[in-house]
Structure formats: C-alpha cells, structure tokens
Amino acid sequence: MATRPRHSEAATLETYRVALDNAEAQPQIATIMADLGYDSSLIGEGKTLLATTCSAYDLNKTEDDETSAAYADFSQKQTDLHDLYSLHRKKAKVIFRNDPVTAEQLGITGSLPKAYVKWLETVKKFYSVATTDSALQSKLGRLKISAEELEAAQTKISELETARTVYLREKGESQEATQSKDAAFAKLDDWMSEFYAVARIGLEDKPQLLEALGKTVRG
C-alpha cells in the first residue's frame, strides 16, 4: 500500500469509522447490507480491523514524536560540542602552530572531517590527549582553555553518544511501527474496498444512503 500523508490517514480512519457505524445504526442500510451478507457479525469484523489499525496508527504517531524529540536532543548536543571544539581547535592551532608533533597528537592538522563518525573520532582524540597531559593543559591555558573546560567537553562527548544511541533506537522503533501500521491499513483497505463494492450494489437506487457511508454520489 502506498503510504498516505498523516492527515489523509486520519481522515481515512474517520471515514471508515462513520461508514461502519452507519452500516449498523441506519435501519435501511443495515437491512440491505445484512441481506448481502454484511450482518452485525461481519460488520464487527470490520470494526475489529479498524480498531487494530487505529491502535497501530496511534503507536506510529507516538513513536514518530519520540523519534523527533530524540533527534532534536541529539542534534542540540552535537551542535554544543561542535561549537566548543571548534573554538578549542582554533586556539590550539595558534598555540601549536610551530609544534607539528603536538598538533598531530591532538589531531588538529588538516581539515576537520564532516562525516559524523570521523568528526567525533577527531574530537575524542583531541580531548583524550588534552585531558591526560598536564604539560599540554598548561600550554592550552595560555588562551583560556582550562582543565575544567576540557573535562566538560569529555562529559559532552559521553552525553552526545548516549543521545545518538537513544535517537537510533527510537528511529528503529518508529520504522517498525510504520511497517505495522502500513500492514494494518492494507488489510483494512482491502476489507473496506469489498464493503464499499457491496454497498454500491445494494444502495444503487438510494444514493443518499450511500453518502451516509462516506461515498459521494455524483448525479
């Protein structure tokens, strides 16, 4: 089944709900549909499929919201660390501009990688070396890079890695929920397609009643 826009899915569920409710509640429709095999038992089957799809839709929406929130948290933490590291990197380049060996140890030579994994590897290398070498810390202190800032950056790295783990987990759960929702919609759509086909036959000479099932009749 082709994926519908979210608003379209909600509208489809509401249309199906009204159709099934009216197929039972409207006496003429109920009688005609029952004569064609769609008695309360079979309508109940459709309602069960509808309830299952509604639950899958709600779960998918919840998972999508959680994924968005997790990504926003991850993205903000990455931005915060990026800004802090960029400042520290610039200062370190100045401090060790004539010391290529130390610059290489800190990983501040060349251009900064753009891909996340390589970028984080570069950031981690800088702070791993800087936080374990007191002589380096003393030199970095010339441009106001304190030991406390270096330790804070290490904490930010850990928080970023945790945030990314949560985001990827939520993303996976959201994708699984989407597949379940789409599968539920496929079954419901198929069931409702036959329901409407039968309704058109039974209510062919009663277009107003067909509209009560959510199908506009063009005359």
Side-chain angles (χ1 to χ4, degrees):
M1 183 192 76
T3 302
R4 301 180 179 90
R6 178 74 69 184
H7 67 86
S8 179
E9 289 179 337
T12 297
L13 291 174
E14 176 61 10
T15 297
Y16 289 169
R17 182 194 67 77
V18 171
L20 294 175
D21 283 350
N22 282 340
E24 283 189 317
Q26 213 290 337
Q28 286 181 277
I29 298 176
T31 298
I32 292 171
M33 293 299 287
D35 287 342
L36 293 172
Y38 280 79
D39 56 12
S40 60
S41 177
L42 192 54
I43 294 297
E45 180 182 306
K47 287 189 171 183
T48 297
L49 287 174
L50 175 63
T52 298
T53 306
C54 285
S55 294
Y57 171 85
D58 290 341
L59 176 61
N60 186 210
K61 185 178 180 181
T62 297
E63 292 294 348
D64 283 351
D65 289 343
E66 290 177 352
T67 299
S68 295
Y71 178 76
D73 181 56
F74 161 65
S75 182
Q76 185 59 58
K77 283 181 168 57
Q78 184 178 5
T79 297
D80 291 345
L81 179 59
H82 179 276
D83 291 347
L84 181 62
Y85 172 69
S86 292
L87 178 60
H88 287 171
R89 181 184 176 91
K90 289 176 183 177
K91 290 181 176 181
K93 277 179 170 290
V94 172
I95 295 170
F96 301 108
R97 66 188 185 282
N98 295 320
D99 186 350
V101 174
T102 301
E104 184 67 29
Q105 288 179 331
L106 289 169
I108 57 175
T109 58
S111 59
L112 182 63
K114 296 185 181 300
Y116 174 81
V117 173
K118 288 293 185 180
W119 169 81
L120 185 60
E121 183 181 343
T122 301
V123 174
K124 291 172 75 172
K125 179 178 182 180
F126 179 89
Y127 290 111
S128 176
V129 172
T131 54
T132 55
D133 191 320
S134 57
L136 276 180
Q137 290 177 25
S138 178
K139 293 178 181 178
L140 290 170
R142 285 176 43 215
L143 290 184
K144 306 299 183 182
I145 300 178
S146 66
E148 290 74 20
E149 280 189 353
L150 296 174
E151 290 296 336
Q154 289 281 61
T155 299
K156 287 181 181 292
I157 290 172
S158 296
E159 291 175 345
L160 175 62
E161 291 181 317
T162 298
R164 186 167 186 264
T165 298
V166 172
Y167 163 60
L168 293 177
R169 181 175 67 243
E170 293 294 348
K171 182 180 179 182
E173 291 175 356
S174 178
Q175 290 173 339
E176 183 178 5
T178 296
Q179 291 179 349
S180 296
K181 177 209 65 181
D182 288 347
F185 258 109
K187 290 181 181 179
L188 179 61
D189 284 337
D190 183 64
W191 195 96
M192 291 300 298
S193 178
E194 183 174 312
F195 168 85
Y196 281 127
V198 172
R200 286 191 182 92
I201 294 172
L203 303 173
E204 186 174 5
D205 59 344
K206 297 178 177 61
Q208 291 79 12
L209 294 182
L210 190 58
E211 289 191 1
L213 299 181
K215 290 297 177 181
T216 301
V217 178
R218 296 173 182 176

